[in-house]
Amino acid sequence: MAGVFGGIVQSLLPPAVRLALLGLAAGAVLLREAGLITLPVPENKRLVPEHVLQRGRVFGGIQFGFEMGTGMRTYSPSSLPHLVLLAILLVVPFSGALAAAGGFAAARWIMAAASIAHSDDGSWSELWSSHRRILAIVTTVATIASLAIGVWAAG
């Protein structure tokens, strides 16, 4: 849906305006993920029930990814999905929107599967939390670089 709506937005706004808006948003997201500013993100503040993950690495991960990815149940600790959505609306062609959706789904599944495979004692959450800031910055820079390379290659 975002890819279709993005086609409309992209046909109405000049490329320079779209790129400027995306650049400003990318800067804000980088500052937010680094913990330098506070910006709220849209979220449906309900957790995916723990029993979903206990359905196994494959089926539990798929259901978890579906519920998180669609926003049916989720806290949103990161603004990166919102940045990618904005990029799809402003600059990413339809084929890129499909690729972004596939990548997002795969990343959600990998995260759920990795947390199940790691341990049952909560050490995954502790490990993640102890490295949260650097992981947030690295994934933000990687996302922004991927978007920039994609926009440059398409242009």
Side-chain angles (χ1 to χ4, degrees):
M1 177 119 137
V4 173
F5 188 61
I8 296 168
V9 172
Q10 292 172 30
S11 68
L12 295 175
L13 292 176
V17 171
R18 294 185 282 120
L19 287 172
L21 289 171
L22 185 59
L24 287 171
V29 166
L30 181 58
L31 292 172
R32 181 190 186 275
E33 295 301 311
L36 300 174
I37 62 172
T38 302
L39 293 173
V41 294
E43 60 185 349
N44 183 2
K45 296 181 178 184
R46 295 182 306 159
L47 294 175
V48 176
E50 199 169 307
H51 68 82
V52 169
L53 293 176
Q54 295 169 351
R55 293 189 175 154
R57 291 182 185 166
V58 176
F59 295 113
I62 289 171
Q63 183 176 347
F64 180 87
F66 177 80
E67 291 188 13
M68 293 288 284
T70 60
M72 287 172 45
R73 300 187 219 199
T74 183
Y75 282 85
S76 188
S78 174
S79 53
L80 289 178
H82 305 284
L83 178 62
V84 173
L85 177 60
L86 186 61
I88 290 170
L89 292 173
L90 293 174
V91 297
V92 174
F94 187 74
S95 59
L98 296 176
F104 182 76
R108 287 292 198 173
W109 178 80
I110 289 167
M111 182 67 173
S115 67
I116 291 171
H118 190 269
S119 69
D120 291 334
D121 64 0
S123 61
W124 171 262
S125 296
E126 291 173 22
L127 183 63
W128 179 265
S129 294
S130 67
H131 296 85
R132 188 211 176 287
R133 181 177 222 127
I134 189 69
L135 290 169
I137 293 169
V138 168
T139 55
T140 302
V141 169
T143 300
I144 291 171
S146 298
L147 290 171
I149 290 167
V151 168
W152 176 77

